[in-house]
Structure formats: C-alpha cells, structure tokens
Amino acid sequence: MKRLTLLLSLCFLMITANAKIEIKKIDPTNWFVGMKDASLQLMAYGDNIRNAEVTINYPNVRIDSLVRLDSPNYLLIYLNLKDAKAGTMNIDFKLGKQKTTVKYTLLDRAMSGEERKGFDNSDVLYMLMPDRFANGNPKNDIVKGMQDQLCNRNEPSLRHGGDIAGLIQHLDYFTDLGVTALWFTPVLENDRPADGGKHSTYHGYATTDYYRVDPRFGTNDDYKTLTDACHKRGMKVVMDMIFNHCGDYHPWGKDVPSKDWFNNPNYGLQTSYKLTPVLDPYASKVDMAETVDGWFVRSMPDLNQRNPHVMQYLIQNSIWWIETVGIDGIRMDTYPYADRTAMAEWMKRIDKEYPNFNTVGETWVTEPAYTAAWQKNSKLSEENSYLKTVMDFAFFDRLSMAKNEETDDWWKGYNRIYNSLCYDYLYPNPSSVMAFIENHDTDRFLGNGKDTMALKQAYALLLTMNRIPQLYYGTEILMNGTKETTDGNVRKDFPGGFVGDKANKFTREGRTAEENAMFDWTSRLLHWRQGNEVITQGKQTQFIPHNGVYVIARQYNGKNVMTILNGRNSANKLEVKRYAEIIGKQTTARDVTTGKTISLSTDVPLSARQAMVLEF
C-alpha cells in the first residue's frame, strides 16, 4: 500500500512538472484601491490551475489564502489591499517548473463611496429593454463567434438588434419626456444559442460573463459612455442584476467550480415560483427548498449563495460595476429566490461602502405585509434585509383590478388602492417603495386597447403618491399588448428605433394626434414633478372614496396638491366641503394636467373617469 502511494505521488509530481499553465481569465478584471473593505477575491481560471503556487511582490498587497476548488481549472486567491496604491502588480503562478506571470491593475477610485448618490423618490425611473428600444449600430446585430447567430424582428422571442448606441442616440427623448433615471434590463453577456431557433435570451437574464457587456449591445466602454452622457443630462442609470442564477452556458455550467457552487446541479429541482415560504413561520422544508433552491428555468442554473465564495464573487461584481461605470442604482431580479441571509450581507456591505446608494429588490408577492418585511429595518422580520427599496406589487395588483371597475362605496375600483395604501404603516420607509403600473413581466397597462382616461388616472396617482414611480417604455405613446401568446407582445420594438420602421415615434411628426396628446400630458406632469418638494417630502393624506371619487393630498410648507380621480364612467363632482381640511379657505387652484384655473368656491364638476392634479 505504501509503495502504491509513493508511485501515485511520483506520477503526480511528473504531471505537474510538465504541466503548462494557461490563465484564461481572472475575475474581477481589475480592482480599486481605497475601499473600506480591503479584501479582494480573485478567481483565476485556466487548465490545471488549481494546484499552482501564487506569489505577489507588490507594496501593501498580501495573499491571505488560496482556495483550491473541486475543479482543477479554478483557483481562488484572497488578497488584502490595505494601504495599497494604484498601479500594475505581477501575479506569479508556478506549477512544477512552469511559471506564468499575469499583470493585474489596481486603480484609484473616481470618487468616494459617500459621494455616490442613488435614486430616490425625487426620481422617476423609465424601464426599457435595450434589444427592443433602438438599433444604433446594425453592425453588431450578429457577432461572429457567438452562440446565437439570429436577429429577426419578425420573431417576438428572438433578438431584434437594439443596442447601447441606439440608446445614446435617443437621450433627447428621455429628457423631453421628463424622466430622471433609466433602468435597462440586463446588459451583460448572454452567449447562448436560441432554443429551436425561436427563443433567445434577448432579455438578458441568462448571464454568461459577469464582467462583460453583451457584444450585441456594445462594449463596456460604450456602457460607460452612455452612463456619463446620462449624468451630463441629470439622469441616473439603474443596472439590472441577477444573483439568484446565471445562464447554463456560463463557464461555471460547463466546468463547475465546486460541487456546492449550484443548488441541485443538473436541473434537479424546478422552483415553485411561490415566494411565501421564505417568510412563512409555518413553512415546510420541502416548500422552502422548492422556492430558494430550485432552478428558475432549465436554462438558468440556481446559484448557491450559501457558498461564501459564490457570494463574494457576486458582491464584488456589483461593486466593480458601481466603480467602473458609475451606475446610480441596482435593480435586483428575483430577490427572495436567493438565500435571504447572504443577500442581507450583500446589502449590508453595499450600504457600508456606499451609504447613499440605492438598490430595489423584485419581491413579487401582492400583499403589503410581505413586501414591507423585506424593507431595511422592518419590524416584521427577525432578520434585517438591509434592502432600502422594495417593489409595490400590491399597488400593481389592486390597480390592475380597479381600472376595469367602477368605484363603489366599499370594495371595488379605487377602494382597492385606498385599502392597500392604508397599510403603509407596515413599511419602515414608504417613500422608498417603488410603485409601477406595468413592467416587462406583465401585460401592458393598456392591454390590447388604448384607454387613455384610465392611463391618465393611473399616471396621476403614480406620480403624486408617496412612492418612487417606475414607468415602462412606450406607454406614453400608447404602446399596448398582452402576454396571452408570448412575452414578446409586451416587449415590442419602439417604433422609429429601427431601420425600416414605418413611423418614427421619437418625433412629434411621427406620432399621431392621440399619441402626441398622451405624450404631452405625461411630459407636463413629469416635468412638474421634478424638484417638487410637495411630492417628494410632503405629508400624504388619502380620503376613502366618496360617491366614486378618490382623493390623495400632499402638503408641504404651506403648499398643497390634490390628486382627484373620478372612478365612475359617468359625470360626477368633487364635494369641496368634504375636503376642507386640505382646501381650507383656498378659492382657486391650478390643474397641473391642463393649466386651467379651477374654482374651489363650489363643487368641482368631473367628467367620466377624469383625473385632476390640483396645486394651490
């Protein structure tokens, strides 16, 4: 037995002595000095790299540990950069007699973490899908060497060719509209073939490289150029990230770093999509496992955030994009599907490094108590999430029902909104909750119609209530669609963004009279909202719907705003005396949506489904 062991050891030494070191990749691709957390994980990837010895001779850089994973092709190097200065350091890898040196760059930060200010309730986020917005560079529609060589606008689930160049070319549109922040669905590489030649990952949620913008969108430098251009216009950029899963064509999927890198390897469990077990005090183990450890879909392996090396990689990646591109916020996809404790640690570390930054988590349950429990410092949860902003799916759900109902004296119509907002006491910070009327995963608000009265009421409410509002691209020009056939029907191309489009809806000339009317109405309200302290800081008062009329009021430093919604399909009136606590002795007000002066000396007449936003 001893002889066999000796022979095996000799064979191993002979193999390593003749092995050739090839470092294919190191993540992160570079790093920054002067961080509050001086630690750095480097993931080196290359044939037989696991057993290499590593040395670094650079002032104030110390190797804390080497972690040799199950796969022979990965090596984790943990460094301490305390007091290190910017520069290029040599990382020496030695395996037997073979030696390879990799130059690694440490950079100065563009600004301190405290200087980075995230989005808040003074902003209006405009969400769009880069592939579906505008094609500014047709040359990158198909990129040689990538798995997916299809680009066909006639197929709703294939790539259409929109890119970063197209976004840069239409920045005037966003400023004309009046939004202050742009949220793009993920821009990172999704190098995966289309299933059956019909279904691609144009949406961006199957990441194959966490440090590279998808070449069909552009380059990392293009992304930085876009962000800088937005900042010059006073707009912020929110980056969509996914910690719950990656794409099945990620190198980790083909060469798994360790046996516990993924939950249920080889698609051993499909998620139930039911998020309630995460907070359910009576949740069974099987229900919990199906929620947090199941794969989102077959093409998206479920990452194990309980593995500290996985989580360190992901945390560093988010920091790298903040420092490299200068993003102003993060939208985290499928938030409760990931490990709760690990995600809280991520948020805690981001908050420590960037105390004025902001992240919004997708928490898709339509009950306020569930959503509120995920917000930072919630008293409803024993475990602090440190997540500053959550998404108000309850508001979306109630409004989706209310828009098709007349408001009665008890439950229907805008009573649903009232009965949802009355639970705002559950939130530690209601003004840091994100509200929306639609997004890329829902039917468009207009469905297959164009009910502008319902849309105006929804926008009037969304843009004046105590929330961070999020809009979805194209609704301001009456883009519609439902998911009954395919998700692609709610993710159509913005007209005018692509060669061959019959009309250019980016311009007044290309829009119909009805589309211009809706754009102008929305733009007027958005520009009025910018810098409006009554909306961002004012006290909110809501009135139980009375005779079909729902009113929300905001008050700040002697200024008042009243949002008035007639929830009936017939003419109605605002009974002025009922709202005396807001109106007081005021006799006139200005309707922000029309510019008209409204008398408050008598009851205010309302047409069917009319929306008013009065300021006085």
Side-chain angles (χ1 to χ4, degrees), residues 208-413:
T208 56
D209 190 333
Y210 281 93
Y211 286 92
R212 187 191 190 199
V213 167
D214 195 291
R216 290 157 296 195
F217 290 152
T219 65
N220 288 13
D221 288 340
D222 292 334
Y223 190 27
K224 178 71 164 62
T225 298
L226 169 61
T227 304
D228 289 346
C230 287
H231 290 167
K232 289 179 181 178
R233 293 167 176 263
M235 288 191 295
K236 299 172 183 176
V237 172
V238 177
M239 187 173 185
D240 206 328
M241 294 185 180
I242 317 103
F243 282 9
N244 179 66
H245 53 262
C246 64
D248 56 348
Y249 275 73
H250 191 288
W252 294 338
K254 300 174 184 178
D255 186 1
V256 182
S258 63
K259 60 181 179 294
D260 61 346
W261 203 259
F262 293 108
N263 292 314
N264 297 290
N266 303 315
Y267 194 59
L269 183 67
Q270 165 71 51
T271 186
S272 64
Y273 301 109
K274 296 174 182 177
L275 299 179
T276 45
V278 181
L279 299 182
D280 180 2
Y282 311 117
S284 66
K285 292 180 180 179
V286 64
D287 288 335
M288 179 69 82
E290 287 177 353
T291 297
V292 300
D293 293 341
W295 289 28
F296 197 71
V297 293
R298 194 178 188 90
S299 61
M300 299 176 185
D302 195 68
L303 290 166
N304 177 17
Q305 298 83 29
R306 291 182 290 271
N307 181 324
H309 306 304
V310 173
M311 204 60 204
Q312 179 66 20
Y313 183 97
L314 296 171
I315 291 171
Q316 285 186 176
N317 181 254
S318 63
I319 292 171
W320 189 87
W321 284 107
I322 294 171
E323 295 290 334
T324 301
V325 173
I327 57 173
D328 307 286
I330 294 170
R331 180 264 186 183
M332 181 53 67
D333 183 62
T334 54
Y335 197 94
Y337 290 91
D339 182 74
R340 186 179 174 193
T341 302
M343 296 298 282
E345 178 60 24
W346 168 56
M347 283 283 83
K348 188 176 181 180
R349 286 179 58 180
I350 290 291
D351 199 28
K352 181 179 179 181
E353 194 69 57
Y354 309 101
N356 300 310
F357 195 75
N358 198 10
T359 296
V360 55
E362 181 192 29
T363 48
W364 197 326
V365 172
T366 58
E367 296 303 322
Y370 183 92
T371 308
W374 282 100
Q375 195 175 43
K376 180 181 179 180
N377 297 330
S378 174
K379 294 180 180 179
L380 302 178
S381 174
E382 295 180 355
E383 186 170 344
N384 196 338
S385 71
Y386 296 96
L387 176 66
K388 292 180 181 176
T389 298
V390 289
M391 295 176 69
D392 195 349
F393 279 92
F395 174 76
F396 159 76
D397 177 69
R398 306 311 190 267
L399 187 63
S400 296
M401 292 185 280
K403 70 181 181 182
N404 297 314
E405 302 172 336
E406 282 204 84
T407 301
D408 61 14
D409 291 334
W410 285 100
W411 310 115
K412 291 184 178 181

Side-chain angles (χ1 to χ4, degrees), residues 3 101 125 244 304 360 372 387 390 434 446 483 508 524 531 543 548 567 593 595 603 611:
R3 187 176 181 181
T101 299
L125 278 68
N244 179 66
N304 177 17
V360 55
L387 176 66
V390 289
M434 180 178 291
L446 293 172
K483 295 175 48 163
R508 297 194 66 80
R524 189 180 305 117
F543 294 81
T593 66
D603 291 346

Side-chain angles (χ1 to χ4, degrees), residues 74-93:
Y74 295 93
L75 178 62
L76 297 181
I77 308 162
Y78 281 88
L79 303 180
N80 187 315
L81 306 181
K82 183 174 172 54
D83 298 324
K85 304 299 182 183
T88 300
M89 64 183 182
N90 292 336
I91 307 176
D92 295 323
F93 295 85

Side-chain angles (χ1 to χ4, degrees), residues 162-221:
D163 52 27
I164 291 174
L167 295 171
I168 293 173
Q169 291 170 12
H170 292 94
L171 292 181
D172 284 345
Y173 180 80
F174 303 124
T175 53
D176 289 346
L177 180 60
V179 295
T180 64
L182 302 180
W183 158 22
F184 313 119
T185 50
V187 298
L188 298 185
E189 180 193 273
N190 275 228
D191 190 11
R192 186 182 191 280
D195 291 330
K198 290 284 188 179
H199 299 278
S200 72
T201 55
Y202 68 91
H203 46 69
Y205 289 98
T207 310
T208 56
D209 190 333
Y210 281 93
Y211 286 92
R212 187 191 190 199
V213 167
D214 195 291
R216 290 157 296 195
F217 290 152
T219 65
N220 288 13
D221 288 340

Side-chain angles (χ1 to χ4, degrees), residues 401-437:
M401 292 185 280
K403 70 181 181 182
N404 297 314
E405 302 172 336
E406 282 204 84
T407 301
D408 61 14
D409 291 334
W410 285 100
W411 310 115
K412 291 184 178 181
Y414 287 114
N415 286 289
R416 299 186 187 277
I417 303 299
Y418 174 87
N419 291 328
S420 178
L421 293 183
C422 72
Y423 292 109
D424 266 17
Y425 61 83
L426 296 171
Y427 290 104
N429 185 5
S431 65
S432 194
V433 175
M434 180 178 291
F436 60 98
I437 66 172

Side-chain angles (χ1 to χ4, degrees), residues 462-489:
L462 180 68
L463 295 173
T464 58
M465 63 193 288
N466 188 27
R467 289 292 190 269
I468 301 172
Q470 173 246 301
L471 310 182
Y472 188 45
Y473 79 101
T475 298
E476 70 279 0
I477 58 161
L478 305 181
M479 286 180 66
N480 60 8
T482 63
K483 295 175 48 163
E484 55 194 339
T485 304
T486 173
D487 285 355
N489 283 343

